[in-house]
Amino acid sequence: MSTVEIRNVRKSYAALEVLHGVDVQIAKGEFVVLVGPSGCGKSTLLRMIAGLEDITGGAIAIDGRVVNNLESKDRDIAMVFQNYALYPQMTVRQNMAFALELAKVPRDVIARKVAETAEILGLEPLLNRKPAQLSGGQRQRVAMGRAIIRDPKVFLFDEPLSNLDAKLRVKMRSEIKALHQRLKTTIVYVTHDQVEAMTMADKIVVMQGGNIEQIGSPLELYDRPRNVFVAGFIGSPAMNFVEGQVLANNGEVVLQLKGADLPMPAAAASLVGRSLLVGIRPEHVKHADDAVAGALECRVSLVEPTGSEAHITLDFAGQELLWILRERLPISRGDVVRVHFDVSDLHLFDPASSERIELLP
């Protein structure tokens, strides 16, 4: 396992700059996920680590050694691609052994490594099959086996699960995470799926438009998103945003949301008179009975039962609010309901800068 350092890395295609000075520090054995919408630069950055794309500016170092000018084959990395990239004419055994054969590793060592890797990935019954005889999940395991058998310094995964169906993606997520915990090798993993990022990563790098928006553990990003983009991107279903204003009311500080006043802590006194963008996660929206003061009156637009819970879309004064309801309440489209949330669950953002506002004690 090795460290990876990305120092002020830039990438341009002619006059178009697609990465704008990216800095990431990856520790030994860390599972780091690069996540963001399509076109944010995450796959380009991964390919630069792999040596498949030239670096326009900055430096990439593996174990302290700058690899900017090293060929991909000399970086001691292994990459697992979205489309598996298996040799169709070769068996599973031959696909896994191919890189070792090129390196002129002794045959007995190759046989032992193939057997060990096949056991780790549950591929023993498939060793004599060709890729066309395998399912998508089996092909992905073979691609992983071909990477593992080389015992590289760093594993690179480029959206490896995007071609699989939803049920198989969940299974393969667990397999990759379990594999990392067993091998403890450094992994850099690219996905646009934030659920993959949250469930697999030790550290997440959120990217947008060639820039890094925030780096942190999954729970750091979930609980303390730095800005509106991260708050809306991390979490499924996505965070709700409603407009609000902080006011002084009879000596108390309140957050006014379209007529509903929520008492705020004394630390919010510095925000009196300011308009805010208020974030609330759907699971933190709660049903309010008539005794609850400061509740929001909403009309139900849509009810989507999932079995264990219902996803209810509310119309709150012309703003959409998603509510995850885990109780079995008789709620239908068109009903008027009252909901509330704890102030401690709110995320406050500046509407102009989109940056998070912290309440100082």
Side-chain angles (χ1 to χ4, degrees), residues 12 47 53 56 66 69 86 95 98 116 138 172 187 204 210 214-215 223-224 274 284 311-312 321 342-343 351 359:
S12 298
R47 291 174 64 82
E53 293 271 2
T56 304
V66 175
N69 298 317
L86 302 176
N95 265 284
F98 187 64
E116 289 173 352
Q138 290 168 338
M172 290 300 299
I187 291 179
I204 297 175
Q214 189 171 353
I215 301 175
D223 293 336
R224 298 174 63 81
R274 288 184 60 176
H284 292 152
H311 293 189
I312 301 177
L321 197 64
D342 294 335
V343 171
L359 295 181

Side-chain angles (χ1 to χ4, degrees), residues 244-257 260-274 276 343 346 348 359-360:
Q245 189 174 23
V246 180
L247 302 173
N249 185 4
N250 296 325
E252 294 186 345
V253 179
V254 298
L255 175 63
Q256 188 176 78
L257 301 175
D261 290 348
L262 304 181
M264 295 290 284
S270 61
L271 301 178
V272 168
R274 288 184 60 176
L276 304 176
V343 171
L346 299 181
L348 307 180
L359 295 181
L360 300 177

